[in-house]
């Protein structure tokens, strides 16, 4: 409250849950993963939407930009795979939430975008853990990805992207 109204939310939370078959998934871990990937996004959206909707908005168009909600996601939002059911369920839900927010609040000036990160990010930990991949430019560059997120925030309501894919040029297009 001391900082004012939030006009951009970036929800970037993983859900874990790789490497277990459906028969091996612990229901409590499944619920925890879904809560992180999807329920957390819902709660954060509910926390910022009232303030965004109350803003006067800006821009020359009939629909004034009032806020932007960006959801970091993964290929698992589009399809599950062997031993990814736990993770995929949360990301499927996150994608549906993003689409619903875009439909419900877009006409009121709130931009929602589901961002599929189809790559391993070049965080310091992964630069070391996967040094050969990093050296061969096969990871997503976090600085470049941040610029793409900022571009989503800056988009005009007349050209909002509600879903984008980000991947390094060498990625094998897994979907």
């Amino acid at each position: 409250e001391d900082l004012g109204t939030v006009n951009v939310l970036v929800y970037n939370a993983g859900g874990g849950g790789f490497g277990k078959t459906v028969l091996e998934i612990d229901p409590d871990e499944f619920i925890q993963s879904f809560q992180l990937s999807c329920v957390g996004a819902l709660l954060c959206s509910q926390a910022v939407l009232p303030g965004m909707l109350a803003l006067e908005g800006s821009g020359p168009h009939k629909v004034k930009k009032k806020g932007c909600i960006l959801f970091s996601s993964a290929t698992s939002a589009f399809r599950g795979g062997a031993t990814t059911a736990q993770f995929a369920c949360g990301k499927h839900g996150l994608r549906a939430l993003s689409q619903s927010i875009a439909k419900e609040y877009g006409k009121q000036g709130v931009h929602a975008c589901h961002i599929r990160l189809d790559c391993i990010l070049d965080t310091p930990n992964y630069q070391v853990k996967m040094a050969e991949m990093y050296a061969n430019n096969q990871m997503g560059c976090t600085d470049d990805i941040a610029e793409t997120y900022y571009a989503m925030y800056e988009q005009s309501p007349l050209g909002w992207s509600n879903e984008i894919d980000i991947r390094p040029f060498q990625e094998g297009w897994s979907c």
Side-chain angles (χ1 to χ4, degrees):
E1 289 180 14
D2 293 342
L3 299 175
T5 301
V6 173
N7 64 355
V8 64
L9 167 66
V10 176
Y11 190 80
N12 183 33
F18 289 101
K20 292 184 178 181
T21 68
V22 170
L23 293 173
E24 295 169 333
I25 294 172
D26 176 276
D28 291 333
E29 289 178 10
F30 181 92
I31 291 167
Q32 183 180 12
S33 177
F34 188 83
Q35 286 177 333
L36 179 62
S37 287
C38 194
V39 178
L42 170 68
L43 295 173
C44 287
S45 299
Q46 288 175 330
V48 301
L49 275 166
M52 289 178 177
L53 294 169
L55 291 172
E56 189 173 312
S58 63
H61 309 294
K62 182 178 178 182
V63 173
K64 303 295 183 195
K65 284 177 63 170
K66 295 182 176 187
C68 183
I69 301 176
L70 304 173
F71 297 102
S72 298
S73 192
T75 298
S76 292
F78 295 80
R79 61 168 173 75
T83 71
T84 67
Q86 182 171 308
F87 182 74
C89 285
K91 294 304 178 186
H92 272 78
L94 180 66
R95 183 176 182 221
L97 176 65
S98 178
Q99 292 169 342
S100 295
I101 290 171
K103 293 285 188 183
E104 289 177 30
Y105 300 104
K107 291 179 183 172
Q108 297 174 59
V110 177
H111 178 198
C113 185
H114 176 262
I115 302 172
R116 173 168 67 167
L117 299 170
D118 198 9
C119 56
I120 295 170
L121 301 179
D122 69 350
T123 60
N125 186 40
Y126 279 115
Q127 288 176 20
V128 172
K129 199 182 220 182
M130 303 173 136
E132 186 175 335
M133 252 184 105
Y134 178 65
N136 291 325
N137 296 309
Q138 293 175 315
M139 292 183 172
C141 174
T142 52
D143 290 338
D144 292 343
I145 290 169
E147 287 182 25
T148 302
Y149 275 59
Y150 185 71
M152 292 302 97
Y153 169 71
E154 287 289 305
Q155 282 184 328
S156 161
L158 299 183
W160 276 345
S161 297
N162 297 119
E163 196 157 72
I164 64 167
D165 299 353
I166 299 175
R167 59 178 55 86
F169 70 97
Q170 294 191 55
E171 202 277 329
W173 288 63
S174 58
C175 192

